[in-house]
């Protein structure tokens, strides 16, 4: 086999990385214990150098447990339960419902956070409080969880908090308890976002420790496959886990929603306001119970895969702050990661706001019919399952890259904004008819919802190994920030229209924003270059830490 392309790549990396010794994970798996210097010449007589793209994070245990089939399926089932119905869908509905009833007096205002406010103001302020707390927790927990062996307990603890919040709604279904509902709403959003983020952060490690990828690393160490093929297999395995996970969750959620429709009829939600209030609390508790049961297999089956070891002069408490300090100074080396971070913020902002604007138009068309909205949700989730399944089959059989599939999603978002923009020029189209709402749910599920899978794959592609919890935390913060900025701008645009009632006006802004971010990511994001930048980043980090350790040892 011609190994000259690999040798050229090694030479390029050698010029950028200090000479530092590594222990190749593939060599460890093969039983080879020799130290291998990056940039060493590969020959039949010498042990080959550790290859670009395979440098392990500094201070990482090389003997990492192999991922099993049952472990992967238990990871899937957790997400079926963590579908968001409890604390992200019905929870906010219950909160706003009680607020509206409590504010039904002469002024329509309630005293919250030291001032008289209307319902929308309270909801926005509660969201802001929740987001601020999330941002702090994400940075602290994300930095800390990349070290030691306690990372699995992060998900367990926050899941237990989420279960407690979900069941607590059974005692909060009267308007007089709206302040308690506000607390449940804020903490519920925090718990849900943390559980979802740290569940997602587990999949790169799961994918990279499957038997196929471990065997591929050994083959690469023996020069049996090229660097490009190793990267392709790594990306394909991450794509498989992410896409199948989202597909399984979508199918499972359809059955859960079908049961929920039956529960709505059983508790007679249309009989009275009180019954509707109680029905929402019951639905939250039911969805929470399903989440609890389906999460147990993952808590039992997950194998302990330690993160990076804590440096000798630090402890498990201080190491998180140390990593934040180091990351702030070194992140600028990862230019491709920053490009995707910027694009993810802009495109995420556009998509989040697009969904919010369309939901407003949808509610006007459907007239807030609860059952019809539930049926629309079932159609959307069914289309989502089909869409994610098709995207994965197309990627797998045509051997396409994750970025190619992500580009297809970006085009779909542009088409969605373009259709909404038509509503500024005619009253016949632009999410103004019921048939358009049904069509939107189908289109959104088929070709836009894969965003939620492929965006996570892309994040994992620009994340240095061993830093998954910190990077997924940062991307989650960026994603949450975008969900606030876009709606505020869109609200101002609507207010500026004649009469302040043109809900289609924001689509001008959203189409332009989607186009800008899509063109930027399409043209400037290079995942292969990102992999090489991560190689340099990890090697420099390892050299720095090993140098610091040597100084501590000689002091």
């Amino acid at each position: 086999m011609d190994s000259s392309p690999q040798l050229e790549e090694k030479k390029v990396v050698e010029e950028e990385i200090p000479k530092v010794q590594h222990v190749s994970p593939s060599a460890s798996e093969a039983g080879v214990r020799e130290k291998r210097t990056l940039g060493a010449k590969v020959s039949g007589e010498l042990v080959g150098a550790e290859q670009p793209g395979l440098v392990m994070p500094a201070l990482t245990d090389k003997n990492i447990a192999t991922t099993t089939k049952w472990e992967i399926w238990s990871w899937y089932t957790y997400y079926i339960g963590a579908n968001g119905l409890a604390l992200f869908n019905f929870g906010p509905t219950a909160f706003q419902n009680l607020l509206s009833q409590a504010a039904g007096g002469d002024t329509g205002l309630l005293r919250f956070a030291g001032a008289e406010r209307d319902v929308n103001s309270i909801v926005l302020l509660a969201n802001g409080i929740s987001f601020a707390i999330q941002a702090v927790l994400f940075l602290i927990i994300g930095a800390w969880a990349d070290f030691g062996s306690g990372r699995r307990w992060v998900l367990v603890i926050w899941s237990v908090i989420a279960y407690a919040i979900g069941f607590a709604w059974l005692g909060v279904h009267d308007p007089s308890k709206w302040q308690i509902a506000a607390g449940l709403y804020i903490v519920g959003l925090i718990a849900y976002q943390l559980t979802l983020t740290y569940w997602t952060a587990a999949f790169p490690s799961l994918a990279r420790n499957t038997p196929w990828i471990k065997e591929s690393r050994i083959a690469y160490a023996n020069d049996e496959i090229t660097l490009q093929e190793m990267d392709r297999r790594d990306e394909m395995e991450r794509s498989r886990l992410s896409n199948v996970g989202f597909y399984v969750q979508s199918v499972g959620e359809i059955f859960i929603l079908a049961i929920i429709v039956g529960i709505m009829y059983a508790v007679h939600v249309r009989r009275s306001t009180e019954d509707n209030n109680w029905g929402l609390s019951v639905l939250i508790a039911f969805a929470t119970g399903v989440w609890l049961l389906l999460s147990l297999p993952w808590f039992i089956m997950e194998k302990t895969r330690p993160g990076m070891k804590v440096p000798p002069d630090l402890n498990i408490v201080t190491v998180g702050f140390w990593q934040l300090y180091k990351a702030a100074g070194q992140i600028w080396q990862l230019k491709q990661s920053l490009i995707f971070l910027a694009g993810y913020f802009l495109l995420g902002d556009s998509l989040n706001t697009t969904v919010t604007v369309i939901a407003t138009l949808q509610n006007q068309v459907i007239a807030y019919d609860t059952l019809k909205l539930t049926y629309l949700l079932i159609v959307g989730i069914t289309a989502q399952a089909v869409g994610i399944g098709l995207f994965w089959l197309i990627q797998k059989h045509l051997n396409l890259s994750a970025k190619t599939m992500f580009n297809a999603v970006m085009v779909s978002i542009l088409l969605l904004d373009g259709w909404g923009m038509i509503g500024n020029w005619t009253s016949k189209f632009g999410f103004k008819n019921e048939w358009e709402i049904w069509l939107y749910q189908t289109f959104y599920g088929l070709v836009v919802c894969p965003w939620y899978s492929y965006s996570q794959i892309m994040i994992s592609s620009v994340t240095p190994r061993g830093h998954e919890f910190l990077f997924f935390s940062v991307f989650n913060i960026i994603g949450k920030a975008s969900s606030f900025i876009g709606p505020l701008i869109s609200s101002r645009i609507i207010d500026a229209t004649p009469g302040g009632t043109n809900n289609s006006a924001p689509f001008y802004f959203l189409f332009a924003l989607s186009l800008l971010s899509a063109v930027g990511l399409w043209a400037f994001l290079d995942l292969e270059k990102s992999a090489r930048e991560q190689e340099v980043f990890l090697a420099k980090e390892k050299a720095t830490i090993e140098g610091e350790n040597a100084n501590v040892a000689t002091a």
Side-chain angles (χ1 to χ4, degrees), residues 36 52 64 114 122 179 181 205 223 245 248 260 323 332 359 367 383 390 397 437 488 508 537:
R36 314 173 80 184
I64 301 176
I122 293 174
Q179 295 99 329
S205 180
D223 287 332
V248 170
I260 282 175
Q323 168 150 270
W332 309 108
L390 286 176
H397 289 290
I437 302 303
L488 290 176
Y508 288 120
F537 175 87

Side-chain angles (χ1 to χ4, degrees), residues 78-79 81-84 86-88 126-127 129-135 137-138 141 153-167 169 182-200 288 291 299 476 480:
Y78 181 94
Y79 191 37
N83 50 53
L87 303 181
F88 194 70
N127 282 339
I129 294 171
S130 174
F131 170 70
I133 297 173
Q134 285 178 48
L137 289 173
F138 272 127
I141 296 175
W153 294 105
V154 174
L155 182 61
V156 173
I157 291 171
W158 282 101
S159 295
V160 171
I161 294 173
Y163 306 150
I165 295 297
F167 291 127
W169 275 103
L184 295 179
Y185 174 71
I186 292 171
V187 180
L189 286 181
I190 294 170
Y192 175 70
Q193 289 298 334
L194 264 68
T195 55
L196 186 61
T197 298
Y198 295 134
W199 169 83
T200 307
T288 300
W291 183 3
F299 296 153
N476 188 279
K480 295 300 294 181

Side-chain angles (χ1 to χ4, degrees), residues 9-305:
E9 285 160 343
K10 293 173 192 173
K11 182 178 179 181
V12 171
V13 175
E14 180 184 11
E15 293 173 353
E16 299 184 21
I17 308 177
K19 294 293 183 67
V20 55
Q21 289 190 322
H22 304 263
V23 178
S24 169
S26 52
S28 176
E29 292 152 10
V32 180
R33 303 299 180 188
E34 293 92 336
K35 293 283 184 178
R36 314 173 80 184
T37 303
L38 186 66
K41 182 177 180 180
V42 177
S43 70
E45 300 174 353
L46 298 175
V47 178
E50 183 174 47
Q51 307 296 311
L54 291 183
V55 170
M56 295 295 285
L59 309 173
T60 299
D61 187 352
K62 306 304 185 297
N63 299 315
I64 301 176
T66 300
T67 305
T68 65
K69 179 180 69 174
W70 292 112
E71 187 181 15
I72 291 174
W73 274 98
S74 68
W75 183 75
Y76 293 157
T77 59
Y78 181 94
Y79 191 37
I80 298 176
N83 50 53
L85 290 175
L87 303 181
F88 194 70
N89 293 107
F90 292 122
T93 300
F95 173 49
Q96 294 176 44
N97 178 52
L98 295 181
L99 277 181
S100 298
Q101 294 174 37
D106 295 334
T107 63
L109 302 176
L110 294 169
R111 188 162 187 82
F112 183 75
E116 297 292 324
R117 307 175 191 274
D118 66 10
V119 172
N120 289 334
S121 176
I122 293 174
V123 172
L124 287 173
L125 184 56
N127 282 339
I129 294 171
S130 174
F131 170 70
I133 297 173
Q134 285 178 48
V136 174
L137 289 173
F138 272 127
L139 287 176
I140 295 175
I141 296 175
W144 167 81
D146 281 324
F147 292 85
S149 58
R151 57 171 59 187
R152 64 182 301 176
W153 294 105
V154 174
L155 182 61
V156 173
I157 291 171
W158 282 101
S159 295
V160 171
I161 294 173
Y163 306 150
I165 295 297
F167 291 127
W169 275 103
L170 287 172
V172 183
H173 49 85
D174 188 275
S176 64
K177 297 182 178 180
W178 68 267
Q179 295 99 329
I180 300 175
L184 295 179
Y185 174 71
I186 292 171
V187 180
L189 286 181
I190 294 170
Y192 175 70
Q193 289 298 334
L194 264 68
T195 55
L196 186 61
T197 298
Y198 295 134
W199 169 83
T200 307
F203 92 90
S205 180
L206 284 176
R208 285 165 175 159
N209 288 288
T210 57
W212 183 47
I213 295 301
K214 284 195 169 186
E215 291 168 4
S216 297
R217 288 206 295 269
I218 294 173
Y220 180 54
N222 295 329
D223 287 332
E224 295 173 7
I225 61 175
T226 64
L227 173 64
Q228 288 79 8
E229 174 61 17
M230 183 66 243
D231 286 344
R232 187 195 70 81
R233 293 185 184 186
D234 183 278
E235 180 183 81
M236 197 63 72
E237 191 72 343
R238 284 183 285 111
S239 297
R240 179 177 73 88
L241 263 66
S242 181
N243 283 313
V244 175
F246 276 82
Y247 172 79
V248 170
Q249 184 271 337
S250 300
V251 173
E253 189 173 354
I254 294 170
F255 289 99
I256 295 172
L257 284 169
I259 297 173
I260 282 175
V261 171
I263 294 175
M264 292 172 69
Y265 278 108
V267 298
H268 306 289
V269 294
R270 287 180 168 176
R271 185 168 56 189
S272 67
T273 299
E274 290 75 16
D275 287 324
N276 185 64
N277 295 350
W278 171 243
L280 283 170
S281 293
V282 170
L283 293 181
I284 295 171
F286 168 75
T288 300
V290 172
W291 183 3
L292 170 59
L293 290 175
L294 293 179
S295 65
L296 293 178
W298 173 240
F299 296 153
I300 296 171
M301 299 296 296
E302 182 187 9
K303 295 182 179 180
T304 299
R305 293 183 179 85

